[in-house]
Amino acid sequence: MFENRIDQIVAMLAWIIFGYFMLSVWTFFQTSAEQQAIALVFTIAFIGLLMLRNAKQAIKRLLWIAFIVLGCLADAYVKIYYDHLEFNRGFPTDFDVYVGGILILAVLIGCWAAWGPVFSLIGSSAILYLIYGNLLPGTMYPAGMPVSDAISLMSVGLQGIFSGLLGVVPEFLILLVVFGSLLEAVGANSFFMQLGNIAGRVLQGGPAHAAVIGSGLVGSTTGAAAANVVITGSMTIPLMKRLGYSPATAAGIEAAASTGSQLMPPVMGVAAFLMADFLGVSYVTVMLAGIIPAFFYYYGIGLSVQLIAMKNDIRAPEGKLDRTVIKHLAPVILIPIAVLIVLMTMSYSIAYTVFFCIFILLGLSLFRSTTRPTLKGLSKAVVGGVTIGIKLALVLATVGMVAQIIITTGLGGKVAFVILEVSNGNLAVMLLLTAVLCFLIGQGVPTAPAYVLMAILVAPSLTRQGLEPLYVHFFIFYFAVMAAISPPVALASLTASKIADSGMIATGLQAVKLAAGGFVLPFLFFTNPGLLMNADSFGAGFVSIVASFAFVSAMTIMLFDFCLIKLNWKERGLVVLSNLSLFWFLIYHTAPMLVVGIIAGVAVFVLQKRRGQPKGSLPATRSEEHTSELQSQAYLVCRLLLEPKNTPPPPPSPDRNLNHNAHSPT
């Protein structure tokens, strides 16, 4: 009874939040800090209600009620006394300090409740570093700051929590994730999975290819790897296991495909929109730059799936293709996404664009009963979208405090100095250290805050080394995404392993192996601008793309030790030579290495072809089987038509007579 009542309040609050931010696109004119204060009131109340619903003991319920009341009152103080706080910025009263302290605690506790301890501990450590860093030995410590000044800097001084990152919540975050949830409610999952089934009917991997394509397209709208695994993996993982894929492989395929969905244009999740803000470019620029790397990422996974199926002789049955679903859902799903791209291309704001896309989506869904969401389904979509947005708001508020501390203490410059010293100015080592740092920060947290923190902490130092900002931010973005499948935490791999009942580490290692392109390609952005559609000439860009295609193919064959059949020692050597040569070319652009790499790769294919194909390694396609069956039937028909109808049977052969007599009872 208590849980049901809280659920009703949560649903009502979700609709209020959604309606408020839809109206704010047109009607509300406030400062950024005031809008952030309103967003934070909604955030604290919503997460508090979610935790109150799950609390079973009376004392815990009282504590969460106190969290809601005190947090909302502290945030309301910022909104009501905004002019006072603005006027006294840097010189808070004692009461201001108490309010600011409550607000900081509310954000850290809420972030812990939403995402676990990782980012809350990072935020708490950053605060302690700001106040007591002068007690640390060495050169990394700051001058130290009084507690009252530190609290003012991070909250009531209208910085830190209200420094701007939280501003994306009212600007576009809530509307964007609700748009993704509404796409899911009208049937986007079914539509994209049917598109995946088309590939599954042609290629030997079958449903595994459907999982790769479907998960990539579904997650492109949700932008959350773990959530995408739950949505699509509950269907694809059990099916892959039944067909012969091992549990860890099935889970790894789903985790890798779902994680890469955030790299997939046209909707690349929240982090891509934040990247556009950091770079000061339109989202369309970011979207176009992401097309080729995303293609290579999914090409590598698709080729891996095909090699696994051939290596293990997995013959998938022909997947059921529902053309009615495709026909009914195509306009409902594709038109709003097309409008989103067109309006963004025309430089309309994200909030304005998503506002219209939501109305178009809901309007188109009403024309057919198969796409028309029920009120319950619509409410579930809104609540789900708002929940994701609220959880992201909490971690962005925490990152806002950490970012303010990094700027105030100069920690970013100190980290950059350490990276520069350790790498001794070597670009490859600098990038490798940056990638490792992205992994450490991205473990167990969403992509967006991990990307933001790295963009603040290390991106400026890399750009000061003369690197193009677009390449730097895409590099950081890719490794923030890849952290979702990389052990030890690996949220996407962990979620998939639960569904597949496989080991988490084994699943994570399989996912990393399948998604190897996502770990290597970012290093090539700096020497191959054509991968991000920023080449100096068409010819240079085209050659880089061709070489990258060959490299991803050779790397995948090497990792799975299989091409047409299992590699022998000579073919393994040629594959390794092809990989090294192509990678050398992509780094240094020496033409002979490109020739060597391609020749070595072709030689492997020729040798495999000559050695033959064992039974089951390359079965005939369904179209070939169908053609053979038709030819056999045609032959039988012609024979019946051409043979004389009254021809007497031929006399029995002597052998047959002897055989008959030998077995007769007389």
Side-chain angles (χ1 to χ4, degrees):
M1 182 66 180
F2 175 79
E3 288 83 0
N4 292 338
R5 187 65 57 85
I6 297 297
D7 284 340
Q8 293 172 0
I9 297 172
V10 166
M12 186 185 307
L13 182 58
W15 277 98
I16 291 172
I17 293 170
F18 174 57
Y20 175 84
F21 289 129
M22 286 287 282
L23 290 173
S24 67
V25 175
W26 298 96
T27 57
F28 297 112
F29 297 94
Q30 303 174 89
T31 64
S32 175
E34 288 178 300
Q35 278 208 328
Q36 291 177 64
I38 293 172
L40 192 57
V41 167
F42 286 143
T43 298
I44 292 171
F46 196 88
I47 197 68
L49 286 170
L50 290 179
M51 300 310 297
L52 179 62
R53 182 197 181 283
N54 297 327
K56 302 301 181 183
Q57 300 174 358
I59 185 65
K60 289 185 178 180
R61 291 179 178 177
L62 288 174
L63 289 174
W64 283 114
I65 290 172
F67 167 83
I68 294 170
V69 172
L70 292 176
C72 290
L73 286 176
D75 194 60
Y77 180 85
V78 174
K79 176 68 176 72
I80 296 169
Y81 293 97
Y82 174 79
D83 292 336
H84 158 75
L85 296 174
E86 177 71 28
F87 183 77
N88 292 315
R89 180 179 293 195
F91 301 95
T93 64
D94 291 342
F95 190 74
D96 293 342
V97 172
Y98 296 142
V99 170
I102 292 172
L103 202 55
I104 292 170
L105 284 175
V107 169
L108 292 175
I109 293 170
C111 186
W112 189 305
W115 297 106
V118 176
F119 252 95
S120 294
L121 291 177
I122 291 175
S124 302
S125 301
I127 294 170
L128 292 174
Y129 175 77
L130 174 66
I131 298 172
Y132 302 111
N134 60 320
L135 303 178
L136 296 174
T139 60
M140 296 290 287
Y141 63 82
M145 182 177 288
V147 174
S148 59
D149 291 348
I151 290 175
S152 175
L153 179 71
M154 290 180 290
S155 57
V156 290
L158 305 180
Q159 300 179 76
I161 294 173
F162 305 107
S163 61
L165 285 177
L166 192 60
V168 303
V169 177
E171 183 180 348
F172 66 82
L173 181 72
I174 294 291
L175 298 186
L176 185 64
V177 292
V178 170
F179 174 61
S181 295
L182 290 173
L183 279 171
E184 182 184 327
V186 301
N189 297 347
S190 299
F191 175 71
F192 290 137
M193 290 306 296
Q194 289 298 327
L195 293 183
N197 283 337
I198 295 175
R201 291 161 63 90
V202 177
L203 300 171
Q204 186 173 346
H209 287 291
V212 172
I213 297 173
S215 298
L217 294 172
V218 171
S220 181
T221 59
T222 62
N228 190 21
V229 170
V230 174
I231 293 169
T232 58
S234 57
M235 297 180 291
T236 60
I237 291 176
L239 182 56
M240 284 189 281
K241 287 174 63 178
R242 286 198 299 270
L243 293 173
Y245 292 94
S246 69
T249 300
I253 291 170
E254 180 60 46
S258 295
T259 297
S261 62
Q262 297 176 86
L263 310 172
M264 175 69 72
V267 185
M268 300 166 65
V270 176
F273 289 90
L274 292 169
M275 188 196 304
D277 281 347
F278 271 107
L279 293 171
V281 300
S282 69
Y283 174 72
V284 176
T285 302
V286 174
M287 180 189 71
L288 292 175
I291 291 175
I292 295 174
F295 166 77
F296 282 132
Y297 178 86
Y298 276 100
Y299 166 70
I301 297 177
L303 180 58
S304 301
V305 166
Q306 187 69 8
L307 295 181
I308 292 170
M310 294 166 61
K311 188 175 184 178
N312 296 282
D313 196 20
I314 297 174
R315 300 191 180 191
E318 187 170 312
K320 183 179 180 182
L321 183 63
D322 193 336
R323 290 180 174 81
T324 303
V325 170
I326 296 177
K327 183 176 70 174
H328 288 181
L329 288 176
V332 179
I333 304 301
L334 298 181
I335 290 176
I337 294 177
V339 170
L340 180 99
I341 297 171
V342 170
L343 291 181
M344 298 284 290
T345 305
M346 297 170 66
S347 299
Y348 285 97
S349 70
I350 303 172
Y352 180 90
T353 300
V354 178
F355 176 90
F356 271 103
C357 289
I358 288 173
F359 270 104
I360 292 170
L361 173 65
L362 293 177
L364 290 172
S365 69
L366 297 177
F367 284 96
R368 291 184 183 275
S369 59
T370 53
T371 60
R372 190 182 306 127
T374 62
L375 288 177
K376 184 178 180 180
L378 192 62
S379 181
K380 183 180 178 181
V382 171
V383 172
V386 170
T387 301
I388 294 173
I390 289 299
K391 289 182 177 181
L392 287 172
L394 282 163
V395 78
L396 287 174
T398 304
V399 171
M401 290 191 291
V402 176
Q404 187 63 53
I405 292 169
I406 290 172
I407 294 170
T408 303
T409 61
L411 181 61
K414 295 169 184 174
V415 170
F417 175 76
V418 170
I419 291 176
L420 190 62
E421 284 292 308
V422 172
S423 65
N424 197 25
N426 185 288
L427 177 61
V429 178
M430 288 178 62
L431 294 176
L432 188 60
L433 292 174
T434 302
V436 171
L437 195 55
C438 285
F439 276 128
L440 294 176
I441 291 177
Q443 292 294 317
V445 298
T447 299
Y451 160 73
V452 168
L453 195 54
M454 290 302 299
I456 295 170
L457 190 62
V458 299
S461 64
L462 292 177
T463 54
R464 281 197 293 270
Q465 300 303 312
L467 300 177
E468 180 69 28
L470 178 67
Y471 312 157
V472 171
H473 281 263
F474 255 96
F475 181 86
I476 293 170
F477 172 57
Y478 258 69
F479 280 103
V481 170
M482 291 296 102
I485 59 172
S486 306
V489 179
L491 284 177
S493 297
L494 175 63
T495 306
S497 68
K498 297 293 184 183
I499 299 173
D501 194 22
S502 61
M504 184 269 176
I505 298 298
T507 298
L509 293 176
Q510 281 292 332
V512 169
K513 188 176 176 181
L514 286 154
F519 296 92
V520 179
L521 285 172
F523 290 95
L524 304 179
F525 294 160
F526 300 94
T527 55
N528 298 272
L531 294 178
L532 297 176
M533 291 195 179
N534 198 31
D536 295 331
S537 65
F538 174 80
F542 179 76
V543 171
S544 291
I545 291 170
V546 171
S548 299
F549 180 84
F551 172 69
V552 171
S553 302
M555 180 176 61
T556 306
I557 291 170
M558 181 182 69
L559 288 173
F560 288 92
D561 196 32
F562 196 91
C563 182
L564 300 177
I565 55 178
K566 185 174 177 59
L567 303 178
N568 60 22
W569 65 269
K570 185 186 300 183
E571 293 158 354
R572 289 191 194 101
L574 287 171
V575 169
V576 172
L577 175 62
S578 179
N579 271 280
L580 294 176
S581 301
L582 291 169
F583 188 74
W584 185 279
F585 169 78
L586 289 167
I587 297 297
Y588 297 105
H589 295 284
T590 51
M593 300 307 291
L594 175 62
V595 175
V596 170
I598 292 178
I599 290 175
V602 171
V604 171
F605 186 83
V606 171
L607 289 173
Q608 292 253 299
K609 201 76 173 172
R610 286 180 178 176
R611 282 208 298 134
Q613 301 155 6
K615 183 179 178 181
S617 65
L618 276 176
T621 62
R622 292 187 177 92
S623 60
E624 292 170 346
E625 293 173 355
H626 185 59
T627 302
S628 178
E629 184 180 350
L630 289 176
Q631 289 173 346
S632 300
Q633 292 174 356
Y635 171 77
L636 290 174
V637 170
C638 291
R639 183 175 177 182
L640 288 172
L641 290 174
L642 294 175
E643 283 184 352
K645 295 183 179 179
N646 298 320
T647 303
S653 65
D655 292 340
R656 288 184 181 177
N657 290 334
L658 290 173
N659 190 46
H660 173 72
N661 295 332
H663 290 83
S664 70
T666 60

